[in-house]
Amino acid sequence: MSLSQSKMSKVGFGLWKIPQDICADAVYEAIKAGYRHLDSACDYGNEVQVGQGIKRAIEEGLCSREDLWITSKLWNTYHAKEHVQQAIERSLTDLQLEYLDLYLIHFPIAQPFVAFDDRYPPEWITDPSAANPKMELAPVPLFETWQGMESLVEKGLTKEIGVCNYNTGLLNDLMAYAKIKPAMLQVESHPYLTQERLMKLAKQYDIQVTAFSPLGALSYLELDMAGAAESVLEQSVVKAAAERLGKTAAQIVLRWGVQRGNAIIPKTSRPERLAENLAIFDFELSQQEMDDINGLNSNRRFNDPGHFCEGAFNTFYPIYD
């Protein structure tokens, strides 16, 4: 682990789906509650507000910039080498920062460039005013995108670079050509999607892993991408561990995530949940409990472009088999 990675907290504050009107306050309250790891992205559409929350926290002396680990992500429309730097500079402007701690390729999906003045964030559909609006693809190899990412480290715009939503094949390919190796792999992982082979490969390459959606279905109910019956918090093995340890079911699942050796980025804007999500370091799950929760794996992926792109954006584009 590099020196800069070593300061990244195992529990981060995920900023996906936090509305703009409450985002600045949510970030401020998260930092006040003790969070020092913030997971942002261009596509979340709230980086201006994230920056406002960070600025307020620093100005009030809750932390310094150096205390924070701030991640953002390169959107699909900026994969061409000449657009990568423009994208991070826009994020830095919105976040009111001089550098990021980590910048990630958000998806291994390249789409046509959309100018900032035309639409920002550009989202998935290339031309919303078209007669048949759809997600379009651009012929930009990931090798070229990674070269652009490496130049950001060389210019001091980010300390580390990495990838999101890569499978084992893409990770093997990346490690064959990367001059600056990825510091982080961020992927969906929870008890229904343990991704053990991918985790093992990342560890073999000395790449750290951050799990998004660590509570599984809870992040997707409001998007109609999951059903209430799919909540891992209702599983008997989770409830039994919670009862034994005097913790909530959510704390058990989050503890399982970090006890596997991953960082996790749960999302909440409720003050009581902010504190609860951090309070997972004063207990440990037994090996039997870890094994029982691992046994819930059903390879259930909630965030899958192979499903949502066709229905929402009129383009079939799977990235996982």
Side-chain angles (χ1 to χ4, degrees):
M1 181 183 291
S2 72
L3 288 175
S4 60
Q5 274 180 268
S6 66
K7 76 167 191 174
M8 192 190 84
S9 304
K10 282 291 188 181
V11 180
F13 183 53
L15 292 153
W16 180 45
K17 295 196 287 100
I18 297 187
Q20 290 181 359
D21 59 343
I22 65 167
C23 187
D25 286 341
V27 169
Y28 173 83
E29 292 298 333
I31 294 172
K32 189 175 181 180
Y35 287 83
R36 295 295 180 266
H37 170 190
L38 305 177
D39 186 81
S40 184
C42 153
D43 188 55
Y44 301 165
N46 56 13
E47 287 196 320
V48 169
Q49 292 75 27
V50 173
Q52 292 167 352
I54 292 170
K55 182 181 180 185
R56 179 183 167 199
I58 291 174
E59 287 179 345
E60 293 188 14
L62 298 182
C63 64
S64 67
R65 167 65 183 95
E66 292 69 33
D67 294 329
L68 299 174
W69 178 280
I70 301 172
T71 298
S72 188
K73 306 179 188 79
L74 177 79
W75 187 240
N76 305 344
T77 53
Y78 310 125
H79 273 220
K81 193 188 303 186
E82 65 269 22
H83 298 141
V84 173
Q85 184 171 335
Q86 295 176 35
I88 194 174
E89 287 175 342
R90 174 60 186 260
S91 281
L92 289 171
T93 297
D94 288 350
L95 293 165
Q96 302 184 58
L97 300 173
E98 294 183 358
Y99 68 91
L100 293 174
D101 296 281
L102 176 65
Y103 198 50
L104 303 170
I105 295 176
H106 203 150
F107 282 97
I109 300 173
Q111 296 183 247
F113 175 70
V114 176
F116 298 139
D117 290 342
D118 290 344
R119 193 170 68 255
Y120 189 88
E123 301 182 322
W124 293 84
I125 291 175
T126 302
D127 181 5
S129 64
N132 181 33
K134 62 181 181 178
M135 165 190 165
E136 297 177 5
L137 303 170
V140 183
L142 288 168
F143 170 74
E144 177 183 327
T145 306
W146 191 253
Q147 286 183 320
M149 297 286 283
E150 289 174 328
S151 73
L152 304 180
V153 178
E154 294 161 354
K155 294 173 181 175
L157 296 171
T158 184
K159 302 288 188 183
E160 308 275 9
I161 51 177
V163 293
C164 298
N165 301 301
Y166 270 44
N167 58 28
T168 53
L170 289 178
L171 205 57
N172 284 323
D173 188 52
L174 171 59
M175 294 302 290
Y177 61 72
K179 293 178 181 176
I180 298 176
K181 304 301 182 183
M184 184 66 66
L185 168 68
Q186 185 178 124
V187 290
E188 178 182 348
S189 189
H190 41 75
Y192 293 155
L193 185 68
T194 56
Q195 302 231 58
E196 289 173 14
R197 291 198 299 180
L198 181 58
M199 305 290 179
K200 184 175 181 179
L201 183 66
K203 184 177 181 180
Q204 184 172 296
Y205 281 131
D206 196 27
I207 302 171
Q208 302 298 307
V209 175
T210 297
F212 70 77
S213 303
L215 294 172
L218 292 185
S219 296
Y220 300 95
L221 295 176
E222 66 195 72
L223 301 175
D224 293 326
M225 293 167 69
E230 295 184 278
S231 174
V232 70
L233 305 185
E234 299 301 319
Q235 291 286 349
S236 59
V237 294
V238 173
K239 288 183 171 181
E243 185 174 350
R244 180 182 79 82
L245 291 158
K247 296 293 181 177
T248 67
Q251 286 175 312
I252 296 301
V253 175
L254 295 179
R255 175 67 202 185
W256 170 84
V258 299
Q259 203 164 313
R260 298 176 79 206
N262 298 336
I264 56 174
I265 43 173
K267 167 254 171 184
T268 185
S269 53
R270 293 167 59 183
E272 67 274 17
R273 291 280 187 265
L274 286 173
E276 179 183 315
N277 291 349
L278 282 179
I280 60 171
F281 296 100
D282 60 348
F283 69 97
E284 192 168 300
L285 298 174
S286 69
Q287 187 58 54
Q288 186 61 57
E289 287 165 334
M290 290 293 292
D291 291 343
D292 288 345
I293 295 173
N294 287 339
L296 297 173
N297 181 57
S298 60
N299 297 320
R300 171 65 164 106
R301 190 185 301 278
F302 295 102
N303 195 326
D304 186 347
H307 292 311
F308 68 74
C309 284
E310 185 171 25
F313 312 125
N314 298 316
T315 301
F316 177 59
Y317 199 77
I319 60 173
Y320 311 111
D321 294 325

